[in-house]
């Protein structure tokens, strides 16, 4: 009797055991889907050798999800010269000369990237590999001179540092000089990066219409740049805005107080004048 009951229980339990095991096992279709997804990810990574920067990949995800930033990224992706360094988007214009002057890193003002493209292409004709770094809206949303925004300022500095490190890591095989060109509010952030040593120091810096719409931020920039030994070319359009005029006066006063050498401040009529002014200045530095 006991044997009959035991057989009956086994016959009842075994089918359910197989059903449960089958339900937990992946179907052939699911397994194939996982394999295809993994393969596609590997191919995408291998197809884009520029996506190698670990530092740039650590930039704040909040900026990368900003609707304005994403819209700008979509516009940039239409350019054939667009590359991705980690999470950062850049335009790369290679040197058109047989010799190599070095790397020129261009940091545009937010929504003014197009104004720097002629300069980038002109410098590539002078022998530079030019990298135009996609700007972010936060460089104007966060005031670098506002003590109440100190936490946001530090976050921005970390992000700027990571973005520039991504450029350095992807352009580290280029020989020659390292030139940094900062437009508008980018110059104010760069001055803080230099003062806090959060970036690799370039060999020279060019300011283009450098200002932030805040007196304290411009005063900090003037002090920081005047105390740095870095050769500096300060180009500005005199008829742009009162903020720019005030910022250039602040820088000139700070330079005189600090008796800074290798500083040239010069007005230009248009940004199309910048390539010649930069070329002449680099000649005085002995770069040519």
């Amino acid at each position: 009797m006991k044997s009959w009951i035991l057989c009956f229980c086994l016959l009842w339990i075994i089918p359910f055991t197989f059903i449960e095991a089958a339900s937990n096992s992946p179907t052939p279709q699911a397994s194939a889907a996982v394999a295809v997804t993994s393969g596609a990810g590997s191919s995408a990574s291998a197809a884009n050798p520029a996506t190698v920067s670990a530092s740039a990949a650590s930039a704040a995800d909040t900026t990368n999800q900003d609707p304005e930033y994403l819209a700008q990224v979509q516009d940039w992706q239409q350019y054939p010269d667009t590359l991705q360094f980690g999470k950062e988007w850049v335009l790369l214009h290679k040197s058109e000369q047989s010799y190599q002057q070095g790397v020129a890193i261009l940091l545009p003002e937010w929504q003014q990237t197009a104004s720097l493209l002629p300069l980038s292409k002109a410098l590539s004709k002078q022998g530079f590999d030019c990298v135009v770094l996609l700007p972010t809206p936060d460089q104007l949303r966060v005031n670098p001179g506002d003590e109440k925004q100190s936490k946001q300022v530090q976050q921005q500095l970390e992000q700027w540092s990571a973005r520039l490190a991504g450029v350095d890591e992807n352009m580290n095989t280029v020989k020659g000089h390292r030139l940094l060109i900062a437009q508008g509010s980018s110059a104010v952030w760069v001055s803080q990066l230099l003062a806090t040593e959060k970036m690799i120091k370039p060999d020279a810096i060019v300011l283009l219409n450098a200002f932030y719409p805040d007196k304290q931020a411009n005063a900090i920039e003037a002090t920081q740049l005047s105390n740095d030994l870095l050769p500096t070319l300060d180009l500005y359009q005199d008829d742009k805005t009162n903020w720019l005029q005030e910022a250039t006066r602040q820088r000139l006063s700070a330079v005189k107080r600090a008796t800074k050498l290798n500083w040239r401040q010069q007005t230009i009529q248009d940004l199309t004048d910048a390539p010649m002014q930069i070329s002449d200045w680099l000649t005085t530095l002995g770069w040519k």
Side-chain angles (χ1 to χ4, degrees):
M1 181 68 178
K2 291 182 180 180
S3 300
W4 181 84
I5 294 173
L6 179 61
C7 291
F8 178 80
C9 291
L10 289 174
L11 291 173
W12 178 262
I13 293 172
I14 290 173
F16 283 97
T17 304
F18 279 109
I19 291 172
E20 183 179 1
S23 64
N24 291 331
S25 300
T27 62
Q29 291 86 349
S31 300
V34 171
V36 170
T37 303
S38 302
S42 301
S43 299
S45 177
N48 190 357
T51 312
V52 297
S53 169
S55 296
S58 65
D61 290 334
T62 53
T63 298
N64 293 335
Q65 297 303 317
D66 185 284
E68 291 185 86
Y69 180 83
L70 292 175
Q72 187 175 224
V73 167
Q74 291 179 350
D75 290 339
W76 272 46
Q77 290 174 341
Q78 299 175 11
Y79 287 93
D81 302 322
T82 302
L83 291 175
Q84 195 173 8
F85 289 172
K87 290 185 178 180
E88 301 302 324
W89 291 91
V90 304
L91 294 177
L92 178 62
H93 300 135
K94 300 286 290 183
S95 169
E96 297 182 14
Q97 301 297 332
S98 57
Y99 56 87
Q100 183 68 58
Q101 281 271 34
V103 176
I105 303 171
L106 289 79
L107 308 178
E109 177 63 282
W110 171 244
Q111 294 187 333
Q112 294 187 30
T113 304
S115 66
L116 292 191
L117 296 186
L119 173 59
S120 178
K121 293 179 180 179
L123 290 175
S124 69
K125 292 179 181 178
Q126 296 180 21
F128 285 96
D129 281 354
C130 297
V131 180
V132 184
L133 187 63
L134 179 65
T136 73
D138 285 340
Q139 66 190 65
L140 277 173
R141 290 175 182 164
V142 179
N143 184 352
D146 188 354
E147 294 181 357
K148 296 179 181 179
Q149 290 187 294
S150 59
K151 182 178 180 180
Q152 294 91 326
V153 169
Q154 288 303 314
Q155 290 174 343
Q156 274 296 295
L157 289 174
E158 292 297 330
Q159 183 174 343
W160 275 95
S161 178
R163 297 168 68 211
L164 289 170
V167 174
D168 293 329
E169 290 168 11
N170 284 275
M171 302 297 293
N172 60 6
T173 59
V174 179
K175 298 179 181 179
H177 299 284
R178 187 171 181 271
L179 178 65
L180 192 65
I181 302 174
Q183 181 188 35
S185 63
S186 297
V188 181
W189 288 107
V190 165
S191 71
Q192 295 212 19
L193 288 171
L194 290 170
T196 55
E197 299 183 350
K198 289 183 178 294
M199 63 177 291
I200 297 177
K201 200 168 187 178
D203 298 312
I205 183 172
V206 176
L207 310 178
L208 289 178
N209 292 332
F211 78 97
Y212 193 93
D214 178 80
K215 186 174 182 178
Q216 180 63 17
N218 292 326
I220 292 173
E221 178 212 30
T223 300
Q224 290 170 335
L225 289 178
S226 65
N227 290 329
D228 198 296
L229 299 178
L230 191 67
T232 306
L233 176 62
D234 187 356
L235 300 177
Y236 68 99
Q237 295 172 266
D238 197 33
D239 59 347
K240 291 292 286 184
T241 173
N242 291 335
W243 279 116
L244 176 56
Q245 294 175 0
E246 177 63 24
T248 55
R249 285 194 290 267
Q250 286 177 298
R251 287 195 295 272
L252 182 59
S253 297
V255 166
K256 288 181 178 179
R257 288 195 302 269
T259 62
K260 176 180 170 65
L261 303 176
N262 289 329
W263 178 287
R264 178 188 293 182
Q265 189 176 78
Q266 199 163 356
T267 59
I268 54 176
Q269 294 298 316
D270 192 83
L271 287 181
T272 56
D273 300 330
M276 183 59 68
Q277 298 290 348
I278 293 174
S279 178
D280 292 344
W281 179 63
L282 294 179
T283 299
T284 66
L285 295 181
W287 284 26
K288 293 187 177 182

